[in-house]
Amino acid sequence: MNIKSAKFIKGVIGTNDILEDGTPQVVFVGRSNVGKSSVINSLVNQKNLARTSSTPGRTQQINVFLINKAFYLIDLPGYGFAKAPQEVREQIQKMLNWYLFVSNYNFKKIVLIIDAKIGPTNDDIDMLHSLEETNKEIVIVANKIDKIKKAEYEKQLQKIKYAFNMHRVIPYSAEKKVGVGELVEELI
Ligand code: GTP
Ligand code: MG
């Protein structure tokens, strides 16, 4: 299967009719700046469908994309972003908590994206544990593998796989388009 169409539908800040229309939602979650929006662009093979930035905190809404006219792909703001004003951070945190853990929406799958070079952080592991309680299927995307030195690659991947041992880990590079096929297969 392939991604045949991808369309930006809307950025929402809280509850919204389109999130409640019964369309399954595939959720992309991860720390700020790990490359959630970039992974989405690489998946759909478009440069700027989701807005990216080298400044953490780019995505501040729940961005909804319709894929193959069949499911929503949800680009969330990142967590653990320390540079934004406290008020903005709290608001984003509240929205994430509500969406992920309170809304009870129809999640088809949760994609937890981490920075492969940095490896699993405490925030990533805390998020994993919270997500596990939702009993939804979780897949881990270890993005930015292009930044890992060749000599360190195997060891770093082992470390990541060990930290997320109950879940599938897909080594990925949005920049070099590595892992795209594997992730598409997981989602469709
Ligand atoms: P927020 O919306 O702020 O939470 O960030 P995000 O997780 O959506 O990250 P975004 O896609 O905006 O990317 C953040 C930065 O990482 C950008 O400068 C990207 O170019 C860079 N980046 C994303 N994916 C990769 C990758 O696979 N390799 C490398 N080297 N850089 C990447
Ligand atoms: Mg983003």
Side-chain angles (χ1 to χ4, degrees):
M1 278 291 271
N2 253 321
I3 291 184
K4 297 189 190 94
S5 66
K7 189 177 161 218
F8 175 66
I9 302 290
K10 209 174 195 172
V12 305
I13 306 182
T15 177
N16 191 283
D17 285 352
I18 59 159
L19 294 174
E20 301 188 10
D21 67 7
T23 307
Q25 300 173 23
V26 172
V27 186
F28 280 53
V29 56
R31 276 184 310 107
S32 201
N33 212 40
V34 295
K36 296 173 294 297
S37 302
S38 303
V39 169
I40 290 175
N41 287 334
S42 66
L43 260 187
V44 301
N45 205 15
Q46 293 184 34
K47 273 215 169 103
N48 293 310
L49 186 69
R51 288 173 72 190
T52 65
S53 166
S54 54
T55 315
R58 168 74 267 173
T59 308
Q60 300 200 341
Q61 298 183 323
I62 298 173
N63 285 315
V64 183
F65 303 89
L66 180 64
I67 307 297
N68 289 357
K69 298 186 178 152
F71 64 91
Y72 289 142
L73 212 161
I74 309 288
D75 185 18
L76 291 176
Y79 52 86
F81 169 44
K83 277 187 202 148
Q86 175 129 1
E87 215 180 277
V88 175
R89 257 186 314 170
E90 277 174 12
Q91 216 168 6
I92 288 180
Q93 197 56 47
K94 238 166 101 183
M95 181 168 71
L96 278 175
N97 273 334
W98 163 77
Y99 175 78
L100 289 170
F101 306 120
V102 181
S103 74
N104 214 9
Y105 285 149
N106 178 13
F107 298 156
K108 179 175 152 82
K109 198 163 276 192
I110 297 174
V111 180
L112 175 58
I113 305 187
I114 68 152
D115 185 314
K117 171 88 191 299
I118 294 171
T121 66
N122 291 339
D123 278 351
D124 294 331
I125 299 300
D126 285 349
M127 179 54 86
L128 174 76
H129 290 154
S130 302
L131 291 174
E132 280 176 337
E133 287 181 17
T134 67
N135 286 320
K136 305 284 178 187
E137 207 185 325
I138 301 167
V139 57
I140 313 296
V141 167
N143 188 37
K144 307 196 186 185
I145 55 164
D146 58 284
K147 290 176 81 176
I148 307 173
K149 287 198 194 98
K150 259 217 165 99
E152 286 158 19
Y153 184 84
E154 282 307 324
K155 206 173 137 208
Q156 183 68 355
L157 254 287
Q158 278 317 110
K159 190 170 138 192
I160 294 168
K161 284 185 176 156
Y162 182 76
F164 298 101
N165 65 341
M166 302 288 284
H167 307 280
R168 180 168 183 206
V169 174
I170 302 179
Y172 203 94
S173 167
E175 186 147 309
K176 304 273 187 239
K177 300 262 171 78
V178 180
V180 178
E182 284 96 321
L183 185 54
V184 169
E185 286 300 320
E186 275 289 328
L187 305 189
I188 289 185

